[in-house]
Amino acid sequence: MKKWLEIALKEIGVKEIRGGENARIIEYHASTTLKAREDEIPWCSSFVNWVMTQAGYKGTNSAAAKSWLSWGKEIPKPEKGCICVIKKKSAGSDAATGSASGYHVGFFVSEDANYVYLIGGNQSDQVKISGFNLRAYDICGYRMPEEVIKGE
């Protein structure tokens, strides 16, 4: 299993604190240039940046999910653990991800005919594996680091 996926899986259950701030989410934010101090600020890209940094890779340093579309190398088909960027098909903010832009980023887990399953941050305000209905979301790209450490 890819080292970064192991790290991401260990974070399952980290969630926003109503009326307070989760220090772990603030730590995720610190891995981006935004360096947000509130856990309510959309944090999917912050989570992916933090995970990749913990695994020894350079992230995008951006809190924008869309930034991952120009990171690393594009792969034509998903591999478990690759970075996956999706975009909500309809306009407006997305309650499932907190995204105002419609973009979301996470780590690919699996897919079926109707859903893509990602482990990500800010999925219903927490780190978890979620299914995203392909009738409501477009897959914008799958990305891998330029150089994957041997054995990952």
Side-chain angles (χ1 to χ4, degrees), residues 50-124:
W50 181 87
V51 168
M52 294 309 289
T53 301
Q54 297 300 305
Y57 293 90
K58 190 175 184 321
T60 66
N61 299 320
S62 173
K66 188 178 181 179
S67 69
W68 291 94
L69 290 173
S70 58
W71 176 88
K73 62 182 176 185
E74 185 173 14
I75 58 173
K77 291 193 295 190
E79 295 177 28
K80 190 168 188 173
C82 73
I83 292 170
C84 178
V85 179
I86 60 174
K87 186 172 192 303
K88 189 177 173 202
K89 290 181 181 186
S90 60
S93 68
D94 184 359
T97 64
S99 172
S101 70
Y103 285 95
H104 182 67
V105 63
F107 299 99
F108 179 87
V109 176
S110 64
E111 67 182 339
D112 60 31
N114 299 310
Y115 289 86
V116 60
Y117 297 89
L118 306 178
I119 178 170
N122 208 30
Q123 294 179 178
S124 301

Side-chain angles (χ1 to χ4, degrees), residues 2-79:
K2 292 168 179 56
K3 183 178 181 181
W4 62 84
L5 185 56
E6 290 176 22
I7 293 167
L9 289 167
K10 288 178 184 169
E11 296 296 301
I12 287 178
V14 172
K15 58 179 76 173
E16 294 177 15
I17 297 172
R18 193 164 287 189
E21 306 306 332
N22 185 320
R24 185 60 139 199
I25 296 171
I26 303 307
E27 191 178 326
Y28 300 156
H29 280 312
S31 70
T32 70
T33 56
L34 181 63
K35 299 195 185 320
R37 303 294 304 153
E38 298 174 14
D39 64 9
E40 293 84 17
I41 304 291
W43 49 279
C44 66
S45 184
S46 296
F47 174 72
V48 174
N49 269 288
W50 181 87
V51 168
M52 294 309 289
T53 301
Q54 297 300 305
Y57 293 90
K58 190 175 184 321
T60 66
N61 299 320
S62 173
K66 188 178 181 179
S67 69
W68 291 94
L69 290 173
S70 58
W71 176 88
K73 62 182 176 185
E74 185 173 14
I75 58 173
K77 291 193 295 190
E79 295 177 28

